[in-house]
Structure formats: C-alpha cells, structure tokens
Amino acid sequence: MKSKNILLVGVGGQGILTMGRILASSAIRRGIKALTSEIHGMAQRGGSVVVHVRMGDVESPLIGTGMADAIVGLEMMEVLRYIQYANRKSILIVNDRIIRPPTAKTIPTKSQIITELERLKLKYIVVDALNLALKAGSEISENIVLLGSLIATETLSEYIEITDLENTLKETFKGKALEVNLKALKYGYEAYKQHVVREY
C-alpha cells in the first residue's frame, strides 16, 4: 500500500496536535496503518508546532524533505518555514492568517508569502478558516475547517473519507463542541470545492 504524507504546521494553541490525532485515528479505525510524530518545543508560548502524519506502507513517522503530499498550515509564515517538505505535486492548504511572533521585529506580509509560493510554483489554496470557524460557532475550530479542506483534496481518498473524520469527531467531542466541529469540517470541505486552486 502506497504511503501518504501529511505535514501539519502552525503555532502553539492552534490545535495542531488534535488535527494529527484525528487524522491518525480516522485511518486506524479503517484498518490503515498510521504513524505520527509531534515537534512542539515552545508550543505553549506560541512557538512553532509541526506534526507529521503518515498513512499506508510506512515504517518511520517522519516525512522526508520534498516528500509531503500535502502541507496544512494554520499560520502562513509556518508554511514557508517548512516549505522544504513540499514538491511540485504537493497541495498546500494555507490558512489566511498571520500570527506575529512575540520577539519578531519584522514579518512578511500575506502578499509576500503568496508571491513566494507562486515563485516556487507550488499548488496551493488559501482558506479563510477563522471566519468559517466563527460561522460554525467557535474560532477554536479553525483546525477542523482546514481538515475539511484537506479531505476535500482527495489526497487521502485511498484511505479515509469525510465520513471517517466525522465519526472520529463524534468519538472525540460531545454536545455543542461536536456540533461546532461537524459544521467546521463541512465548511472547510465546501471552501476547497468552491475555490479555484492555484496550480502550475
């Protein structure tokens, strides 16, 4: 079984670790092998957080340079920080959000980040996950919005579908939180399907 490699990037507090667990759990429930690796040294201080998720015929949890099938970025600058994992066939799901590091004197603008993605000729889509999360009922569901966009790309169609993510959410959340996250997943899915992906 061919492997699929998903890199999740962002900063502490954005729910990156939860995203990784939901993806891996959804695969395992289907009988698919899934390995994850979390790197989050300064997560509680808004530092960089990275989760590697690999499914299929895999032995190591770490994704090699240039081997990501998809990169999901909850923060735009973090996408550039880990862009070496992308290749010309990768799809980048980029949240339309910049979170300024506490110690940074200058940071790139959104347009500068997009210009760099285009210079590298990478396939990407920018998703306004915050507004979709608010529409779903809570800004903390941004991560689930982006999972919806990821599953809409069909990158993981050999292994899991949106219904698998829905079932994992039902096992993970209850009550209002479940309702919000199911909506967020749907809105993210629809956002990808309705937008034109920039590709070369």
Side-chain angles (χ1 to χ4, degrees):
M1 178 179 282
K2 185 180 178 182
S3 66
K4 287 292 182 178
N5 304 314
I6 309 298
L7 192 74
L8 310 174
V9 302
V11 299
Q14 287 193 290
I16 305 284
L17 307 185
T18 299
M19 291 174 76
R21 286 193 286 268
I22 289 171
L23 280 176
S25 296
S26 297
I28 291 168
R29 289 177 72 258
R30 287 281 296 264
I32 304 296
K33 186 175 182 180
L35 299 176
T36 66
S37 178
E38 303 170 355
I39 304 170
H40 50 97
M42 296 291 287
Q44 293 183 343
R45 295 187 176 87
S48 182
V49 182
V50 184
V51 175
H52 297 240
V53 181
R54 305 192 69 209
M55 298 180 187
D57 185 15
V58 294
E59 299 300 328
S60 166
L62 295 177
I63 299 169
T65 301
M67 298 299 291
D69 294 292
I71 297 177
V72 182
L74 272 86
E75 200 280 340
M76 296 184 86
M77 290 187 294
E78 293 299 311
V79 173
L80 285 188
R81 187 191 301 272
Y82 295 99
I83 205 68
Q84 70 270 21
Y85 287 94
N87 59 66
R88 292 294 179 85
K89 293 182 180 180
S90 304
I91 175 69
L92 278 58
I93 309 295
V94 183
N95 190 9
D96 187 18
R97 189 171 183 185
I98 289 179
I99 299 176
R100 187 185 188 92
T103 58
K105 293 182 179 178
T106 60
I107 61 172
T109 65
K110 291 179 182 179
S111 62
Q112 287 173 329
I113 291 171
I114 295 302
T115 297
E116 180 64 9
L117 295 180
E118 293 185 351
R119 186 188 71 79
L120 294 170
K121 300 190 184 309
L122 294 172
K123 183 168 63 172
Y124 71 90
I125 182 172
V126 177
V127 179
D128 188 355
L130 178 58
N131 275 333
L132 292 175
L134 289 170
K135 180 181 175 183
S138 173
E139 65 180 283
I140 64 173
S141 64
E142 272 184 292
N143 57 344
I144 307 301
V145 170
L146 293 172
L147 276 185
S149 293
L150 170 65
I151 204 69
T153 69
E154 301 185 355
T155 299
L156 297 173
S157 60
E158 298 173 58
Y159 307 104
I160 59 174
E161 301 172 350
I162 191 170
T163 52
D164 297 303
L165 295 182
E166 289 171 342
N167 289 333
T168 301
L169 290 176
K170 290 172 184 176
E171 292 180 352
T172 306
F173 301 100
K174 303 297 179 187
K176 180 65 174 177
L178 173 59
E179 178 185 336
V180 167
N181 282 303
L182 288 174
K183 286 182 180 178
L185 187 72
K186 176 185 175 184
Y187 293 155
Y189 184 92
E190 292 173 346
Y192 181 86
K193 292 297 187 182
Q194 293 171 4
H195 286 74
V196 176
V197 178
R198 186 62 181 269
E199 55 185 316
Y200 298 86

